[in-house]
């Protein structure tokens, strides 16, 4: 093999490793609490117990997270969870997770899901209870419980302790981006943009 080919192979392998790895490796078994010595409790998260005692689904779409913010023991472990609760007819609006792909497991109900790749190609599916769906890292995706009568519940796993979320409606219409910039971007007028922003005013 020529030197050039060898270098190209090295670059390619390095790029793949860079793309597929999770959070940076830590140089210890775990990152303990700032004050004190960790015990079993430090590695236990009880925030999902509410799901067991919950009598009825929430009135609006709800996310319960176990990321490093809620569960500090995840720091450096490159994993996290979220439980997604969808009342009948509700959505999780288009969003991206900049630091992780998402592996969704539909535990209850049905769910219409989709993502758009960087060539603008849309991939959708109507999931049945028990199905898994993977949303590739950094791509725009959404979920919709199209069932008008029944709730849906999904558990999502992430390959980062802090996957991060950028929700498009919120990022675009609930920040101070200039109305003219948005009007030009969406090929519409300022009044339409202000109307869209009204829905987010608190
Ligand atoms: C708009 O942004 C504020 C401040 O970040 C937030 O508290 C509020 O929930 C957002 N509104 C909506 C509808 O998402």
């Amino acid at each position: 093999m020529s030197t050039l080919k060898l270098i190209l192979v090295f670059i390619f392998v390095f790029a793949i490793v860079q793309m597929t790895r999770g959070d940076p490796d830590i140089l210890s078994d775990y990152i303990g609490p700032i004050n004190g010595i960790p015990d079993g409790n430090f590695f236990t998260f009880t925030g999902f117990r509410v799901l067991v005692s919950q009598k009825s689904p929430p009135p609006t779409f709800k996310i319960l997270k176990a990321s490093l913010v809620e569960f500090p023991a995840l720091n450096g472990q490159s994993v996290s969870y979220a439980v997604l609760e969808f009342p009948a007819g509700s959505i999780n609006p288009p969003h991206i997770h900049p630091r992780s792909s998402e592996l969704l497991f539909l535990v209850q109900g049905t769910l219409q899901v989709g993502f758009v790749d960087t060539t603008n190609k849309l991939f959708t599916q109507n999931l049945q209870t028990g199905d898994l769906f993977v949303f590739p890292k950094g791509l725009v995706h959404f979920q919709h419980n199209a069932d008008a009568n029944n709730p849906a519940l999904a558990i999502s796993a992430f390959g980062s302790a802090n996957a991060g979320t950028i929700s498009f409606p919120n990022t675009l219409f609930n920040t101070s981006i200039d109305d003219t910039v948005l009007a030009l971007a969406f090929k519409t007028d300022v009044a339409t943009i202000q109307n869209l922003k009204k829905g987010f005013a608190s």
Side-chain angles (χ1 to χ4, degrees):
M1 200 184 285
S2 75
T3 313
L4 180 63
K5 264 192 192 157
L6 207 62
I7 290 169
L8 286 176
V9 166
F10 269 121
I11 290 171
F12 186 67
V13 169
F14 183 73
I16 288 187
V17 170
Q18 286 294 310
M19 270 158 52
T20 53
R21 71 178 198 180
D23 297 345
D25 277 339
I26 55 174
L27 302 177
S28 53
D29 296 346
Y30 50 81
I31 297 172
I34 293 162
N35 301 311
I37 296 155
D39 60 5
N41 290 329
F42 178 70
F43 296 98
T44 309
F45 181 71
T46 57
F48 287 176
R49 283 186 189 174
V50 290
L51 292 162
V52 181
S53 52
Q54 183 174 278
K55 300 260 181 314
S56 54
T60 53
F61 169 67
K62 190 175 167 191
I63 306 174
L64 271 179
K65 284 187 198 168
S67 71
L68 72 77
V69 175
E70 300 81 15
F71 188 9
L74 296 185
N75 193 8
Q77 302 304 327
S78 212
V79 286
S80 59
Y81 264 143
V83 173
L84 313 174
E85 295 184 90
F86 298 87
S90 67
I91 61 154
N92 184 5
H95 63 279
I96 64 175
H97 303 294
R99 290 180 286 277
S100 178
S101 48
E102 172 176 356
L103 183 59
L104 179 146
F105 174 33
L106 184 60
V107 179
Q108 184 198 350
T110 57
L111 208 55
Q112 182 196 45
V113 298
F115 71 85
V116 180
D117 74 10
T118 56
T119 68
N120 232 17
K121 183 171 175 182
L122 171 69
F123 297 83
T124 56
Q125 188 58 271
N126 292 310
L127 301 179
Q128 303 300 308
T129 308
D131 291 352
L132 274 78
F133 191 86
V134 64
F135 301 98
K137 180 174 176 173
L139 298 185
V140 178
H141 62 282
F142 61 88
Q143 296 115 15
H144 174 211
N145 178 11
D147 190 319
N149 303 310
N150 299 298
L153 190 140
I155 299 172
S156 281
F158 298 89
S160 166
N162 191 17
T165 298
I166 297 166
S167 181
F168 284 90
N170 213 29
T171 298
L172 293 166
F173 303 116
N174 194 21
T175 56
S176 310
I177 300 177
D178 194 278
D179 290 348
T180 307
V181 171
L182 292 173
L184 288 167
F186 286 92
K187 304 186 195 305
T188 184
D189 50 61
V190 164
T192 303
I193 296 298
Q194 286 172 348
N195 224 8
L196 283 165
K197 282 189 170 179
K198 269 187 207 153
F200 293 87
S202 41

